[in-house]
Each structure stands twice: as C-alpha cells, then as structure tokens.
Amino acid sequence: MAFDLHHDDPQLNDPLDIIEQVASQSEMNAERVDATELHINVGGMWRDIAVWFAWRENMRVLQLGAPLELKVPQEKLGEVCKLLARINERVWLGHFDLWSDDNGIVYRNGTVLSEMADFDEVQAEILIRGAAEAFERFYPAFNYVLWGGKTADEAIAASLFETEGTA
C-alpha cells in the first residue's frame, strides 16, 4: 500500500523555525544544527533541560527528546523499567524511554503535523512545556531509584506528592 504524502499545496512553515522563535522570545538558548535538527536549553528547577527537535519533512513528523543525563547501572535496570511503566501511565504528552545502547533515560514525544495547516507558536510552547513539566515532575523519581535505593513504587509516590506554597 502506498500513500501520496506530497501535494502541490503552497509550502507551509518550518516547525523548527517556529520553535526557534519561541525559544528566542522566551530567552532560551537555541542552536540550529542543520535544516532538520534544533537544540534548545530550557531552565529547570533541578537543572537545565537540553531538548532536541528533529523534523522529517517527508513524513511531516516532529520529534523531540530531552535526555535526563542519567545512566542506569545493570543492577538497577529492573526497578527502573518498573518506574518507567508507572511514570508513563501518568504522562499526558510523550513518554520516557530507556536507550538500549547506553542505558540512558530520555523523555520523547512525536507529533505528526498536518499538510493542511501551519505549525504555530502555541503548539511549540505546548511541546516545550510538556517536556519541561514531565522532566521536572519525574526527574527526582529516577534519582530516588538510582541513587536513593528506593523502589519504583516509593519513587512514584514521592514524585506525585504535591506541595503547596514555598518554604
């Protein structure tokens, strides 16, 4: 079965250009690697979040990733996989993955963009905010398992604890 994904419609905007504009307006560092890849740096509570975007125009797919820069030791793989399952049940946008080549943890999201409508700044902000919120909420849970000796259930319970106000 073959699909014709290309139409003779006018050229729509480049989503990486839009993300770059949003990053600039929000005073985030952005670096355009090439026509298909962009890296931005989002300030976070735990640490800065390095987010990469990859654009495949032929499929109209925009993918983003935010590596947590945490490597999982072999003896913790089982508990981290349990934690990934518990976390991914709770994430509305995207998901967390464990890279098999280096046991690194990364947040990922992919979006298929319509050929009939432009990608806009609101969509870009939603993708960036979704990655940042997932990262901020669950980054400590991974540390609880990796460095704190907690179980996946203990780590997820701690990450879902909501505080009010500031101390």
Side-chain angles (χ1 to χ4, degrees), residues 4 8 16 18 20-21 29 79 85 89 96-97 102 116 124 126 148 157:
D4 179 17
D8 292 331
L16 297 181
I18 301 301
E20 200 167 19
Q21 289 171 14
N29 292 331
E79 204 60 37
E89 292 173 342
F96 287 89
D97 273 335
D102 68 354
M116 308 307 284
I126 289 169

Side-chain angles (χ1 to χ4, degrees), residues 133-151:
E133 287 176 4
F135 192 103
E136 291 291 335
R137 185 164 201 185
F138 296 111
Y139 181 77
F142 289 106
N143 278 311
Y144 292 155
V145 170
L146 292 174
W147 312 118
K150 302 292 184 190
T151 67

